[in-house]
Amino acid sequence: MQSKHLRLTLLLALGTFCASRPGPAPNLAGCWTNQLGSTVSIEVAEDGTLRGTYTSQVSSTGDQVKGDLIGYQQMFNQPTFGFAVKWTTESVRGSVTVWTGQMFNTHGHQTLMTMWLLRNNTETIGNNWSATRTGQDVFRHCGVKCESTEGSGDLGSQWKCDSSVGA
């Protein structure tokens, strides 16, 4: 009888241990949109390296600008990350922006809370004081891919999450 209780106790302990083990860490793969309608598309390698593209709806020229993204993600339940964007659109070429932040899963929604630094290229050291800007962005997960929709109106209306994938 004591042997049966011991086995039952061990089975319950093992079941509790297995049930409490976390699943694979979430990652930043997919499409994300911020509060201004800018969109980032990210692919994540097994080692946490990030690659992708960023399309900003806001710029000093007032035009949509694009850039190449590279960065890293720490593989935790609510991962931390950092990425840099080298702007490739002619009007902002020479500028680089870096973001750092953390992904949060709240009420079934994935959100990236970030801070950023934008460095503009400057011709002289005298202009150094105004060449770096700071700010924050909140991104929401849109799904697997980003989709461009032509249109006009509010800043966020030109880029939408693809409605064919789960938001």
Side-chain angles (χ1 to χ4, degrees):
M1 184 73 164
Q2 189 175 7
S3 164
K4 285 184 180 182
H5 288 296
L6 181 57
R7 274 189 267 169
L8 181 59
T9 303
L10 287 173
L11 285 172
L12 287 173
L14 181 60
T16 302
F17 172 75
C18 290
S20 66
R21 290 182 52 109
N27 67 48
L28 279 67
C31 182
W32 301 83
T33 301
N34 73 8
Q35 71 281 359
L36 298 174
S38 297
T39 303
V40 61
S41 179
I42 300 175
E43 296 176 5
V44 181
E46 283 187 37
D47 67 353
T49 301
L50 308 176
R51 291 200 184 277
T53 57
Y54 194 107
T55 303
S56 179
Q57 296 300 325
V58 294
S59 70
S60 59
T61 64
D63 298 325
Q64 180 187 79
V65 295
K66 296 183 178 191
D68 297 325
L69 176 150
I70 190 161
Y72 298 96
Q73 169 187 332
Q74 296 287 10
M75 301 298 220
F76 291 102
N77 189 35
Q78 297 191 129
T80 56
F81 61 90
F83 60 81
V85 172
K86 177 178 92 172
W87 297 105
T88 56
T89 303
E90 187 62 38
S91 62
V92 292
R93 191 165 293 167
S95 298
V96 173
T97 306
V98 295
W99 280 261
T100 187
Q102 186 169 3
M103 175 197 287
F104 292 97
N105 291 307
T106 54
H107 308 293
H109 300 287
Q110 293 178 323
T111 303
L112 305 180
M113 302 297 293
T114 69
M115 297 290 295
W116 54 264
L117 292 169
L118 164 65
R119 179 62 187 205
N120 291 313
N121 192 5
T122 183
E123 296 295 322
T124 67
I125 198 166
N127 293 333
N128 185 58
W129 71 272
S130 63
T132 301
R133 297 178 184 176
T134 65
Q136 61 184 7
D137 282 318
V138 177
F139 293 85
R140 66 182 175 89
H141 193 246
C142 293
V144 178
K145 65 178 183 170
C146 299
E147 176 181 272
S148 174
T149 58
E150 299 302 322
S152 59
D154 297 335
L155 289 173
S157 69
Q158 293 179 338
W159 278 87
K160 301 278 184 195
C161 291
D162 181 352
S163 59
S164 67
V165 291

